[in-house]
Amino acid sequence: MTTYLNLTESLVWAVARTEEADTEPAFTIAKQGLLDYLSAAWKGEAQKETDRLLRYVSGSGQALLLGSGQGASAELSALYNGYLGHYLDYDDVNQTVRGHPSTVLYPALMAVASLRPVTGKRFLAAYVIGAEVMARLAQAMGQQHYRKGFHNTATLGVLASAMATGYLLQLGAERLLNAMGIAAAQVSGIRLNFGTESKPLQAGLAAQKGVQAALLAEAGIAAGHTVLDGSQGIFALYGEGIREDTREILLGKWGRSWKLCISGLWFKMYPFCSAASHIADSAKQLYQRESFSPEEIQKVMLVFPPGGDAALIHRCPTTGEEGRFSAEYVAAVGLNGLSYTLDNFSCRPISANLRQFMERTERRNDATIIPAETAMPPGRFCIVQLYLKNGRILKQRTDTPKGCPGNPLTSEERYQKLLACCPETLVSKLLGEVEGLHHASDMSSLIQVLKTGAGQASG
């Protein structure tokens, strides 16, 4: 890498020069991510509310609309399939990104792969590169980006999906630079939309804009080649500015150490924000271990490190959908002995007894508590403390919730999730197709499976 290149050029050149073979060490987890994305998306397709977006996107082309039997343009295909994957907040998370890479990247790549001849190896390599770009951008952006209220999945996802799609299309460095510039003009997404349908829509929009940026660049549209640099670049506008280590973060050990292999993917057990998983595990363990009734609880205290509950923006949710981003509601579900299933995180109103229970719940951010060395994400934890009316205090702390890279789902648990979201006949086909994907000369067989799976989504 020549040091006189600016940050934007350096990152894009790193993407452009990456050989498919360089990405193979990350193929195993990339395949796991694809199956998990398809689990979440197929379950999302089964929700009748997603038909509203389907009516908006369908009929304008031949690109895949997962589970519908219909087609759309590449851009609208990416929008819809990204929306499906994130609709239930059941899709994977990467702790470095502080967001959801697969529900942005795979819809973008599938949209192009359903229209163009693409090998399975190139498809997987493009995903690995997109995830790498997304993670490195998040590290370089710094924590303030998320804390200000931006939605990393949506903002950084635009840039990452543009690079992944551009790599898939083999655009070359000059056009990839233009794709990066076009994508940078479309960076958007805010956390205030959490708990509404616009949260998954933001993921779909990131996929759509990334595809659009790559296709516009392929058509010859030019853009600025310094969008990451200087006082008016992305890092300055949206983050903490350019630091001494920004170049190293973006480029150090590129191609020799993939973020997917280091920080992994968090495959969810529950259909809600991963930031609430610590709460769920603690609440469930308390309910199963201790002898108490919900009526005996005088107060619930939820203790986090500073910023540990930032994503959980709803303190008084009115629906299960808002409850996906509510510490109070997730605690209430577990402490009342209810299950963490989709039924309790739907758009239906929350019951009166759970709303009353949440009124007895408080949060506290405590900087004096030392996080565990094994905490996932690093520095995070949740302590659920119950103050009973008889004076007893019960406590449970979780540092590595089930599903995170430090406490991963087993292969059997991942299979059961896939089976819970998709019909068994489709599952067997998906497993076969994805397992051999890196040997596939094109994507047509997998795309055909996804098309013929239309109407089979489990309810």
Side-chain angles (χ1 to χ4, degrees):
M1 180 64 63
T2 51
T3 57
Y4 62 83
L5 294 175
N6 64 36
L7 291 174
T8 314
E9 293 168 335
S10 298
L11 181 60
V12 168
W13 273 101
V15 170
R17 71 175 184 168
T18 303
E19 299 290 338
E20 293 174 15
D22 296 340
T23 66
E24 289 187 32
F27 277 8
T28 296
I29 194 164
K31 292 176 183 179
Q32 292 173 1
L34 177 55
L35 287 171
D36 191 78
Y37 158 74
L38 290 171
S39 296
W42 223 274
K43 198 66 175 177
E45 192 273 339
Q47 312 306 305
K48 64 180 184 301
E49 293 83 4
T50 60
D51 286 346
R52 293 191 289 263
L53 186 61
L54 178 62
R55 289 192 293 270
Y56 173 79
V57 303
S58 63
S60 56
Q62 298 301 313
L64 176 69
L65 294 177
L66 188 66
S68 74
Q70 303 179 55
S73 66
E75 294 93 333
L76 291 180
S77 164
L79 169 64
Y80 179 69
N81 293 332
Y83 176 74
L84 288 186
H86 201 44
Y87 187 77
L88 299 171
D89 225 275
Y90 206 12
D91 52 311
D92 65 42
V93 173
N94 178 269
Q95 64 188 36
T96 306
V97 172
R98 200 171 186 176
H100 306 259
S102 296
T103 199
V104 174
L105 297 173
Y106 275 129
L109 297 172
M110 289 193 311
V112 173
S114 63
L115 297 175
R116 307 276 189 100
V118 173
T119 67
K121 189 174 182 180
R122 188 75 181 184
F123 180 84
L124 291 170
Y127 171 80
V128 173
I129 287 171
E132 188 75 9
V133 169
M134 201 168 176
R136 288 177 181 255
L137 287 174
Q139 284 184 297
M141 189 73 77
Q143 295 298 318
Q144 284 302 314
H145 182 68
Y146 193 86
R147 290 172 184 165
K148 286 178 181 177
F150 290 109
H151 180 199
N152 287 17
T153 301
T155 55
L156 305 178
V158 177
L159 304 171
S161 61
M163 290 298 94
T165 306
Y167 182 85
L168 187 71
L169 292 169
Q170 304 185 58
L171 292 187
E174 185 70 20
R175 288 184 293 177
L176 272 175
L177 271 169
N178 290 330
M180 177 69 88
I182 296 167
Q186 303 177 83
V187 170
S188 61
I190 57 175
R191 288 195 289 114
L192 281 178
N193 274 328
F194 285 14
T196 75
E197 288 178 304
S198 285
K199 205 253 189 179
L201 187 67
Q202 288 178 173
L205 287 168
Q208 177 189 21
K209 293 171 184 176
V211 170
Q212 179 175 271
L215 293 178
L216 287 171
E218 183 184 45
I221 303 298
H225 291 182
T226 60
V227 294
L228 301 180
D229 295 88
S231 62
Q232 295 183 328
I234 289 293
F235 295 133
L237 292 175
Y238 291 88
E240 300 167 10
I242 296 173
R243 307 186 302 267
E244 289 185 3
D245 61 349
T246 299
R247 179 175 288 273
E248 177 63 22
I249 290 172
L250 288 178
L251 301 163
K253 296 183 180 180
W254 181 278
R256 302 196 304 276
S257 179
W258 298 109
K259 300 297 184 185
L260 280 175
C261 297
I262 298 171
S263 55
L265 290 173
W266 181 330
F267 299 122
K268 291 187 179 182
M269 286 284 288
Y270 315 121
F272 50 73
C273 182
S274 61
S277 294
H278 300 74
I279 307 167
D281 283 4
S282 288
K284 189 162 66 172
Q285 288 177 53
L286 279 171
Y287 186 83
Q288 292 173 347
R289 185 185 72 224
E290 304 289 349
S291 176
F292 65 84
S293 67
E295 293 75 21
E296 294 178 84
I297 300 174
Q298 184 172 14
K299 183 175 73 172
V300 178
M301 178 65 72
L302 306 176
V303 184
F304 306 91
D309 59 335
L312 306 175
I313 66 172
H314 293 288
R315 292 177 181 261
C316 301
T318 59
T319 67
E321 186 175 40
E322 290 181 349
R324 294 176 195 157
F325 306 92
S326 171
E328 292 76 9
Y329 180 67
V330 170
V333 170
L335 294 173
N336 280 267
L338 302 176
S339 60
Y340 290 117
T341 57
L342 285 173
D343 287 344
N344 289 316
F345 293 89
S346 71
C347 57
R348 293 194 300 271
I350 294 171
S351 66
N353 67 308
L354 287 182
R355 292 200 307 271
Q356 292 169 2
F357 186 92
M358 287 189 287
E359 292 174 359
R360 307 199 299 271
T361 304
E362 300 177 14
R363 302 190 198 188
R364 189 174 84 238
N365 297 103
D366 193 333
T368 67
I369 299 175
I370 300 174
E373 292 184 3
T374 57
M376 288 286 175
R380 299 276 281 280
F381 61 82
C382 179
I383 301 171
V384 177
Q385 294 181 179
L386 307 183
Y387 296 83
L388 303 187
K389 294 175 181 178
N390 63 8
R392 292 178 66 203
I393 299 176
L394 307 177
K395 180 188 298 186
Q396 180 65 45
R397 171 173 172 164
T398 298
D399 296 278
T400 54
K402 185 65 176 177
C404 75
N407 187 13
L409 301 187
T410 65
S411 57
E412 176 62 23
E413 287 170 329
R414 293 196 307 272
Y415 173 74
Q416 290 300 324
K417 178 178 176 179
L418 185 62
L419 199 61
C421 295
C422 308
E424 189 171 2
T425 53
L426 179 60
V427 168
S428 61
K429 292 179 181 178
L430 289 177
L431 289 171
E433 291 292 337
V434 172
E435 176 59 31
L437 191 57
H438 61 294
H439 295 306
S441 59
D442 60 52
M443 295 289 295
S444 60
S445 183
L446 175 59
I447 297 299
Q448 187 60 33
V449 168
L450 297 178
K451 287 181 177 179
T452 57
Q456 296 181 20
S458 62

